[in-house]
Amino acid sequence: MAAFSFYLSLSVVAWLCIFSVSSLSDHESFLRCFSSHVSPTANLSQLLYLADSPDYSSLLFSSIQNLRFASSETPKPLLIVAPADEFQVQASVICCRSHGLPIRARSGGHDYEGLSYRSEKSSSFVLLDLEKLRSVTVDVEHGVAWVEAGATLGELYYKVAEKWQNTAHKLHEDLLLRVDIVHVNRGDRRVVEAAFKSLFLGHCDGLLQHMGERFPALGVERNDCREMSWIDSAVYAAGYTNGEPAEILVNRELQPKDFNKGKSDYVTEPIPVSGWEAIWARLSEEGATGSMHMDPWGGRMSEISESNIPFPHRKGNLFIILYLSTWRDEGVAASTKHLGWIRSMFRFMTPYVSKRPRAAYLNYRDLELGRNAMAWGERYFKDNFRRLAMVKGEVDPQNFFSNEQSVPPFIAETGERPPINYIL
Ligand SMILES: *[C@@H]1O[C@H](CO)[C@@H](O)[C@H](O)[C@H]1NC(C)=O
């Protein structure tokens, strides 16, 4: 609690400095800007949260899931704007831009490096929190869902499930089989275990037949199989395995909070048995603190071309790896230990994973890939990076919407393709 009030008073000081340095008229002009761009009936105290407003902290921390970025050292926004409609979003962009305030936009709060609500680039920034824009509309007949940016995946699943009974029988039977390599306690021993988890769209009989034909070595039996509705499978996959109701998905209070760090890799060639033995040995070492989660590629992912949408990781990938370290202990010692482990695991995996570029998944954001787009552009986006930089040059040449790893604008003078190594 002491640290909390310390942080609060710091934020107030920061806010006062800004407006005493650049004069209070800036503050007033900022508010005037908002008033002139939103409906006259809008209540500004439900839209703008200054650091000294009573709801600032609860709003800021409400969707910070990674405790690494919830400490007093994490830079805090000068102001949180929580728009309730698209006009208020526009007003936020217009007014922040005209007052030279960079913004960070936060949806559900998921970003492995917290870039949706913190900034290393600028000491003063505004957080545009989309938590009020969370409606989900599902149109089964046309196969379309409209999802506002502030909705969580749980809220989307919940809404889709409401419509599920109309669509389930039309779905093609399919099977997803993932592997989680994790540490578990067996009696008084801590052991490494590979857990095969599968989602099969169909009945248990179909799954047993499928697995018997395609993967008999796993020896799947009827006991391993639990029939449930698709929405219950989403609850189950989220770790609620005791028959908790689907409503758990729309309860934002339950989102787990811990300290964590993730990294990703794609695998394009099977890892040899000797490689798996080495990986296993490394994960079993004393002091190995993280886990490895592998999701298969293929299926529909391989049918879509790399250039169809920005996400490029398609045909040719066998699976994706998420390396994840999560911890509960506060303090530098614990984070040094966990970050050290995941970095060394990532180095160790180099011979086994994709190369030139060593591909990475944007949603498993990793600032350690580098701040400069030369370092991460092709890893996250492959050849699409050039196109994205050109689109960015068209729509946001001033690079107003930016963070430590956002696509920089490329402004082509002669219409040629931008080189990957242009100076940012
Ligand atoms: C504006 O919002 C604040 C905070 O929710 C509330 O206390 C106040 O009564 C509202 N004012 C009006 C005019 O509705």
Side-chain angles (χ1 to χ4, degrees), residues 108-277:
H110 172 92
D111 184 304
Y112 269 85
E113 297 282 10
L115 299 188
S116 55
Y117 50 82
R118 73 179 189 110
S119 172
E120 294 179 2
K121 282 177 74 173
S122 47
S123 54
S124 53
F125 66 98
V126 169
L127 169 58
L128 184 63
D129 194 329
L130 302 174
E131 60 122 30
K132 290 178 190 158
L133 297 171
R134 57 166 81 168
S135 80
V136 178
T137 319
V138 181
D139 176 351
V140 172
E141 196 182 328
H142 299 100
V144 174
W146 286 99
V147 185
E148 286 189 339
T152 63
L153 209 49
E155 288 163 346
L156 171 61
Y157 284 170
Y158 189 79
K159 260 289 170 28
V160 169
E162 286 180 349
K163 312 279 181 181
W164 181 246
Q165 56 200 353
N166 300 317
T167 45
H169 62 280
K170 296 181 198 153
L171 285 175
H172 196 265
E173 286 191 346
D174 213 348
L175 172 65
L176 176 91
L177 181 63
R178 78 177 302 199
V179 190
D180 293 330
I181 305 184
V182 293
H183 291 99
V184 291
N185 293 318
R186 287 273 172 270
D188 53 3
R189 289 198 323 137
R190 197 161 164 270
V191 297
V192 183
E193 202 174 84
F196 288 79
K197 297 180 182 167
S198 91
L199 174 68
F200 180 65
L201 303 178
H203 288 281
C204 191
D205 288 340
L207 176 65
L208 290 173
Q209 189 190 347
H210 218 78
M211 294 298 286
E213 284 166 10
R214 308 292 293 274
F215 200 175
L218 204 55
V220 174
E221 296 172 355
R222 189 163 293 271
N223 269 345
D224 300 316
C225 176
R226 277 179 68 165
E227 285 187 2
M228 58 180 80
S229 66
W230 172 77
I231 191 61
D232 287 339
S233 79
V235 173
Y236 192 90
Y240 301 102
T241 54
N242 296 314
E244 285 87 345
E247 280 65 30
I248 220 158
L249 291 174
V250 291
N251 184 342
R252 293 190 181 211
E253 309 278 297
L254 293 174
Q255 304 253 0
K257 290 179 192 275
D258 52 29
F259 298 90
N260 65 61
K261 170 70 192 159
K263 282 173 135 6
S264 62
D265 260 321
Y266 281 92
V267 175
T268 54
E269 301 287 338
I271 298 177
V273 172
S274 59
W276 282 116
E277 283 167 356

Side-chain angles (χ1 to χ4, degrees), residues 43-46 55:
N43 183 340
L44 285 191
S45 54
Q46 289 172 1
D55 296 326

